[in-house]
């Protein structure tokens, strides 16, 4: 269910999305699957959790949510079953180059993995290995979790996904007794000074992920927890004051227009890029691999050639402005953490 607050950012995105899904439903002979809501009371009734969000929007009953962890585990098993792929585990510190040719990757152990073609699919960590400033930037999204009872799971598990495109706040139906409240917004950046991947003698400033791998005690900033708490009070009032049991920062690789970067690097031979998910990469799991292979083989679909290319010009502020983001732009993770990370 996509909703918006009338007159605020996000309304135009929801209206465009409604037109799109309604057309698809009509083409499939299932027009009744998409229902527009013109009153907040209609939204609250459809949510079925005692609350709601926004005052206009729609529900698409042909849509739903997917368990990303389960999906990736399934895909891993499928790939392993082919017997054609060898998985190796390690942390890459840099690409290995011979002049302008990329020949492999160096691990933290000092070991070098060599390859005829290096495909860099490193998501929010891409800025550590290639200079991607002005074309993509890592941004962190806040997520808070709380435990619920079996009875609450039974009731709330049947509710639709609710996403307010004006605030960016959303709730996915709970699974296994855990409910997640999160924000799809402009995100938190984490600027860091690192040696330039192009010239290690020069330092550049890039946003890089900070996770519990870096700090086991990391908790979302108080600003983010307040936003999640406010959304919970609004969407599921019965859980309004239930303590959050854990939190995470989910890292996106944002591009200015929300499009992927799936192309050969123009300045390096033997380097192919598959990044720039902008927070919506997982939903393409069933098809994106085939399209990446097409591009590797030089057969990029014409309609995506310009969308997925390496942009000739950099933008000054690499913020995704595709109309799907809510909240406040320009937040710096460390600045927000200094204000407090637990309420």
């Amino acid at each position: 269910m996509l909703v918006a607050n009338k007159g605020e950012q996000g309304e135009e995105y929801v209206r465009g999305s409604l037109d799109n899904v309604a057309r698809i439903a009509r083409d499939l002979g299932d027009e009744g699957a998409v229902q527009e809501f013109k009153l907040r009371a209609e939204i609250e009734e459809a949510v079925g959790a005692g609350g709601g969000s926004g005052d206009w929007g729609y529900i698409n009953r042909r849509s739903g949510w997917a368990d990303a962890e389960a999906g990736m585990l399934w895909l891993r098993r499928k790939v392993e079953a082919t017997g054609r792929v060898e998985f190796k585990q390690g942390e890459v510190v840099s690409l290995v180059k011979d002049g302008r040719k990329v020949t492999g990757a160096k691990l933290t152990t000092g070991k070098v993995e060599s390859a005829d073609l290096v495909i860099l699919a490193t998501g929010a960590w891409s800025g550590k290995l290639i200079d991607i400033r002005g074309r993509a930037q890592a941004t962190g999204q806040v997520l808070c979790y709380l435990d619920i009872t079996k009875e609450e799971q039974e009731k709330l598990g049947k509710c639709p996904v609710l996403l307010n495109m004006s605030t960016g706040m959303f709730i996915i139906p709970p699974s296994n007794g855990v409910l997640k409240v999160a924000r799809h917004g402009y995100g938190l950046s984490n600027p860091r000074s690192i040696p330039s991947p192009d010239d290690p003698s020069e330092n550049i400033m890039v946003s890089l992920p900070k996770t519990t791998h870096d700090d086991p005690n990391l908790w979302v900033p108080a600003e983010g927890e307040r936003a999640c708490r406010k959304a919970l009070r609004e969407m599921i009032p019965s859980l309004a004051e239930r303590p959050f049991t854990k939190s995470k920062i989910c890292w996106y690789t944002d591009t200015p227009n929300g499009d992927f970067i799936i192309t050969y690097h123009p300045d390096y031979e033997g380097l192919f890029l598959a990044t720039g998910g902008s927070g919506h990469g997982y939903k393409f799991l069933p098809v994106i691999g085939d399209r990446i292979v097409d591009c590797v083989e030089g057969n990029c679909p014409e309609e995506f050639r310009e969308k997925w290319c390496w942009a000739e010009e950099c933008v000054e502020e690499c913020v995704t402005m595709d109309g799907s983001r809510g909240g406040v732009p320009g937040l710096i993770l460390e600045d927000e953490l200094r204000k407090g990370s637990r309420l």
Side-chain angles (χ1 to χ4, degrees), residues 35-50:
Q35 179 184 356
E36 181 179 359
F37 300 127
K38 298 182 179 181
L39 299 172
R40 184 184 184 92
E42 294 175 329
I43 295 171
E44 293 182 355
E45 182 179 358
V47 172

Side-chain angles (χ1 to χ4, degrees), residues 166-197:
S166 294
T167 63
M169 303 307 301
F170 67 93
I171 290 182
I172 292 176
S175 176
N176 299 318
V178 177
L179 179 76
K180 178 173 73 174
V181 186
R183 180 170 63 196
H184 174 76
Y186 292 105
L188 296 146
S189 64
N190 187 39
R192 286 290 176 267
S193 178
I194 65 169
S196 168

Side-chain angles (χ1 to χ4, degrees), residues 246-262:
K246 65 177 180 178
S247 74
K248 290 183 181 179
I249 299 176
C250 175
W251 290 92
Y252 290 1
T253 324
D254 284 341
T255 58
N257 50 16
D259 291 327
F260 292 114
I261 300 174
I262 302 177

Side-chain angles (χ1 to χ4, degrees), residues 219-241:
W219 189 272
V220 297
E223 177 276 332
E225 186 173 352
R226 281 195 299 269
C228 290
R229 177 62 62 190
K230 181 179 178 181
L232 186 63
R233 288 168 177 159
E234 183 179 33
M235 298 179 185
I236 311 179
S238 62
L239 300 178
E241 307 309 321

Side-chain angles (χ1 to χ4, degrees), residues 18-180:
L18 171 59
D19 291 342
N20 184 52
V21 297
R23 175 185 56 78
I24 293 173
R26 286 195 301 270
D27 291 346
L28 294 171
D30 194 13
E31 188 170 352
V34 178
Q35 179 184 356
E36 181 179 359
F37 300 127
K38 298 182 179 181
L39 299 172
R40 184 184 184 92
E42 294 175 329
I43 295 171
E44 293 182 355
E45 182 179 358
V47 172
S53 186
D55 47 27
W56 175 85
Y58 74 89
I59 187 171
N60 179 10
R61 292 186 172 86
R62 294 183 59 87
S63 67
W65 68 279
D67 187 325
E69 180 180 5
M72 294 306 297
L73 289 172
W74 175 87
L75 183 61
R76 171 73 179 251
R77 291 193 296 268
K78 295 287 285 187
V79 173
E80 287 177 331
T82 67
R84 301 195 302 268
V85 177
E86 179 186 0
F87 286 92
K88 297 182 178 182
Q89 184 172 342
E91 182 180 347
V92 176
V93 292
S94 65
L95 297 178
V96 179
K97 302 167 187 171
D98 181 5
R100 307 306 292 182
K101 179 176 176 60
V102 175
T103 60
K106 184 178 180 180
L107 308 183
T108 51
T109 59
K111 183 179 180 181
V112 172
E113 295 286 353
S114 299
D116 295 328
L117 173 65
V118 174
I119 299 178
L120 203 64
T122 45
W125 283 262
S126 298
K128 178 181 178 180
L129 302 173
I130 57 170
D131 189 349
I132 205 167
R133 291 174 298 170
R135 297 181 174 90
Q137 173 175 274
T139 63
Q141 306 290 333
V142 297
L143 295 80
C144 289
Y145 299 80
L146 63 152
D147 294 334
I148 60 174
T149 65
K150 290 183 179 179
E151 293 74 20
E152 291 165 338
Q153 171 67 57
E154 175 64 22
K155 177 183 177 181
L156 299 174
K158 300 173 183 177
C159 294
V161 174
L162 177 59
L163 171 55
N164 185 317
M165 302 304 288
S166 294
T167 63
M169 303 307 301
F170 67 93
I171 290 182
I172 292 176
S175 176
N176 299 318
V178 177
L179 179 76
K180 178 173 73 174

